[in-house]
Amino acid sequence: MNNLLINWLNTGPKTQQLISFNHHDIVTGSLFTAHVAHLFEQLNASPIKRWLLAAETSDLFAAGICAALLAGKQVILPSNTQGGTLNELNHAFDGIIADQPLSEVKHFILLKKEMGLANKPWPQSSQIGDLVLFTSGSSGEPKAIQKSIEQLDAEVSVLESTFASRLPQCSVVSTVSHQHIYGLLFKILWPLAASRPFLSDLIEYPETLSYYIALMPNLCLVSSPAQLSRLPEALEFEQQQLAPSLIFSSGGPLSYEASQHIHTCYGQFPIEVFGSTETGGVAYRRQMSPNRTWLPFSQIDIASNPEDGALMIKSPYLASDSEWLKCDDKIELAADGRFTLLHRLDRIVKVEEKRLSLAQMEGLLCTHPFVKEAAVVQLTEPRMMLGAAITLTEQGLAQLDDSGKLSVNNHLKKHLLSEFERVTLPRRWRYPEALPVNAQGKRIQTDLLTVFNDD
């Protein structure tokens, strides 16, 4: 099952193949081929090498990325199309392929559905281009991650060999953006290469998801921890008569409680995929029990750094598949090759001249029966201290209502004292209904800091 994506890019879809759909429209292989050929001609005639690609709907995005890759271009994928983001990336691209004008000074190719395009053969390429993704990051400058078609092909091929048997005649729907590596792979590249149709729109509401589950007998849901955590409440925590064939989650940690709730509603545990833009997918698991270990994908070699316990990987998804990459996650390696994620190593701060891990503190807080989710941040005003933003379980909310905030604070401080010195404990505590996350379900430092603005 190797070269699944490369082989598909070289041959294109079959004429009657269903590429994408929504509630009022479909795109067949012949229409998709005509669109890709039309864009390819424009791109092939241009000397510009670096093209930023952005589109709201996945069918237009897919046509743009296929045409650009076949034309040998470098495709730049921003995390979003906000003005500030594009200004930060202005140096990284010379032309834009998009469904709306994003810059007045760059060469522009418009993405739009054109039904009357002449039938043309699938474009033939002498050299397939590559991708550059920019991670949004929690702070600092966006980081460019280059991906060759060989790296993307390796991951798509492994995903197919790992999960294909559980995806019989499946269509793919997604609540996550195709502008990021997870959505790009799971919603666009993998479905295209494996001839699975995908929903061209983004699912934003539980009612929309229920509509498509009822409409289509086999459905694969690609989602995020933040969205899956909210879904059971929208479904009133009741067992559903119809359910997706498979549910994927990635982009951050999915709580054990959320995994159980999804199982209650849909009769299955989500498949969590652990990875990053840089590493691609590293491992996967289903949380049928607390602290379930992660199973590496078949092509991934895993080790633990002897000095600090950091995750080390060797992978065909990386620029060099023969060298070990040290990650920022501390792991505990099991004898069977699986591993447990402990905490991040890159979130080490000094409080009262003592070094501590914010991720370790968050992990310990999440083991308390009052805590559903926890985020610990370093505050600088009025002085250097830690702040903890906590979403509470039903038990925690009951304690808050009955005994007040100070009581909850003291319970959690006592819990933290099992691993942390008193002088390092958070001084400010907040209990929002939900922790702020972006569209990909990731916590952004600046948004978390606003939780502490109100005294």
Side-chain angles (χ1 to χ4, degrees):
M1 212 171 283
N2 291 334
N3 303 127
L4 192 70
L5 178 60
I6 290 175
N7 290 341
W8 186 89
L9 274 173
N10 285 330
T11 58
K14 296 176 182 176
T15 303
Q16 296 304 317
Q17 178 184 333
L18 179 59
I19 298 294
S20 66
F21 61 93
N22 58 26
H23 68 284
H24 61 77
D25 196 13
I26 64 170
V27 174
T28 62
S30 58
L31 181 61
F32 188 74
T33 297
H35 195 184
V36 171
H38 174 68
L39 293 169
F40 173 84
E41 289 178 351
Q42 297 175 71
L43 288 163
N44 209 35
S46 172
I48 293 174
K49 176 72 173 177
R50 306 180 305 168
W51 292 83
L52 180 137
L53 173 63
E56 184 175 348
T57 62
S58 294
D59 53 348
L60 291 177
F61 178 90
I65 199 167
C66 288
L69 289 173
L70 289 167
K73 305 300 184 181
Q74 185 172 75
V75 184
I76 311 299
L77 296 186
S79 58
N80 58 59
T81 54
Q82 301 298 107
T85 301
L86 296 182
N87 285 337
E88 284 185 316
L89 303 183
N90 198 49
H91 66 282
F93 62 95
D94 304 300
I96 295 175
I97 312 165
D99 53 359
Q100 56 182 313
L102 298 176
S103 171
E104 296 180 0
V105 296
K106 302 284 186 179
H107 190 78
F108 177 63
I109 292 179
L110 178 65
L111 284 174
K112 65 177 180 178
K113 279 189 179 174
E114 298 182 73
M115 308 303 291
L117 293 173
N119 288 329
K120 292 184 179 180
W122 186 257
Q124 296 303 300
S125 175
S126 58
Q127 183 179 7
I128 297 177
D130 60 10
L131 292 173
V132 177
L133 296 105
F134 283 88
T135 59
S136 52
S138 57
S139 61
E141 295 293 319
K143 182 181 178 183
I145 307 293
Q146 192 166 345
K147 295 280 183 180
S148 70
I149 194 65
E150 288 78 16
Q151 290 170 261
L152 296 167
D153 177 79
E155 185 153 10
V156 165
S157 299
V158 168
L159 289 173
E160 179 68 4
S161 64
T162 306
F163 301 116
S165 61
R166 308 183 212 179
L167 294 168
Q169 303 296 313
C170 262
S171 301
V172 178
V173 299
S174 174
T175 66
V176 299
S177 169
H178 49 236
Q179 296 285 150
H180 298 257
I181 188 68
Y182 172 44
L184 172 70
L185 284 166
F186 279 71
K187 188 185 181 182
I188 305 291
L189 299 182
W190 181 20
L192 283 177
S195 300
R196 292 190 187 96
F198 56 82
L199 178 66
S200 56
D201 299 330
L202 199 66
I203 287 186
E204 298 184 81
Y205 305 104
E207 297 82 4
T208 311
L209 176 60
S210 297
Y211 168 80
Y212 283 108
I213 291 175
L215 190 66
M216 315 192 82
N218 293 305
L219 210 61
C220 172
L221 172 62
V222 177
S223 193
S224 73
Q227 292 154 329
L228 289 176
S229 297
R230 293 192 294 265
L231 182 58
E233 184 176 2
L235 300 173
E236 298 181 339
F237 300 97
E238 293 182 356
Q239 184 176 356
Q240 305 297 299
Q241 289 185 327
L242 300 170
S245 299
L246 216 56
I247 301 170
F248 286 104
S249 175
S250 191
L254 180 70
S255 69
Y256 174 68
E257 180 186 42
S259 183
Q260 298 303 302
H261 287 326
I262 290 294
H263 182 265
T264 298
C265 294
Y266 286 137
Q268 63 171 295
F269 296 97
I271 296 176
E272 297 173 68
V273 178
F274 167 69
S276 67
T277 304
E278 185 175 11
T279 63
V282 173
Y284 62 100
R285 70 174 182 179
R286 274 180 154 160
Q287 279 199 85
M288 294 172 278
S289 58
N291 300 317
R292 185 86 169 176
T293 54
W294 294 87
L295 175 65
F297 284 105
S298 60
Q299 302 281 328
I300 310 292
D301 292 326
I302 296 292
S304 174
N305 186 284
E307 295 180 2
D308 57 7
L311 170 65
M312 306 285 292
I313 69 168
K314 194 185 290 184
S315 166
Y317 312 161
L318 301 173
S320 173
D321 59 4
S322 61
E323 296 180 7
W324 288 96
L325 174 71
K326 183 179 179 181
C327 302
D328 291 319
D329 299 278
K330 185 173 183 177
I331 66 164
E332 185 177 294
L333 201 57
D336 62 359
R338 293 173 177 261
F339 64 91
T340 301
L341 281 171
L342 298 179
H343 57 78
R344 295 281 292 182
L345 292 166
D346 60 345
R347 297 180 62 212
I348 305 295
V349 299
K350 271 193 173 183
V351 178
E352 300 292 336
E353 300 306 315
K354 299 179 184 296
R355 285 167 56 86
L356 65 87
S357 164
L358 298 181
Q360 183 183 357
M361 186 174 281
E362 290 170 353
L364 181 57
L365 282 167
C366 286
T367 64
H368 194 282
F370 288 180
V371 177
K372 185 187 294 183
E373 286 185 290
V376 181
V377 296
Q378 191 164 32
L379 306 173
T380 57
E381 297 292 340
R383 63 186 185 281
M384 196 73 75
M385 68 178 77
L386 294 186
I390 310 287
T391 60
L392 297 171
T393 60
E394 290 182 7
Q395 188 178 345
L397 289 169
Q399 181 74 20
L400 186 68
D401 289 341
D402 293 342
S403 304
K405 182 183 174 186
L406 183 60
S407 172
V408 177
N409 291 359
N410 289 337
H411 274 87
L412 298 182
K413 287 179 182 178
K414 183 179 179 181
H415 186 63
L416 288 178
L417 285 171
S418 65
E419 292 185 19
F420 295 92
E421 297 180 58
R422 185 173 294 276
V423 293
T424 67
L425 298 189
R427 300 293 181 92
R428 297 171 74 183
W429 298 80
R430 296 291 183 270
Y431 301 103
E433 289 186 8
L435 297 181
V437 294
N438 66 9
Q440 285 67 51
K442 292 185 180 293
R443 299 173 188 172
I444 304 300
Q445 179 80 359
T446 51
D447 294 339
L448 281 171
L449 291 176
T450 62
V451 174
F452 299 91
N453 285 350
D454 224 352
D455 281 321

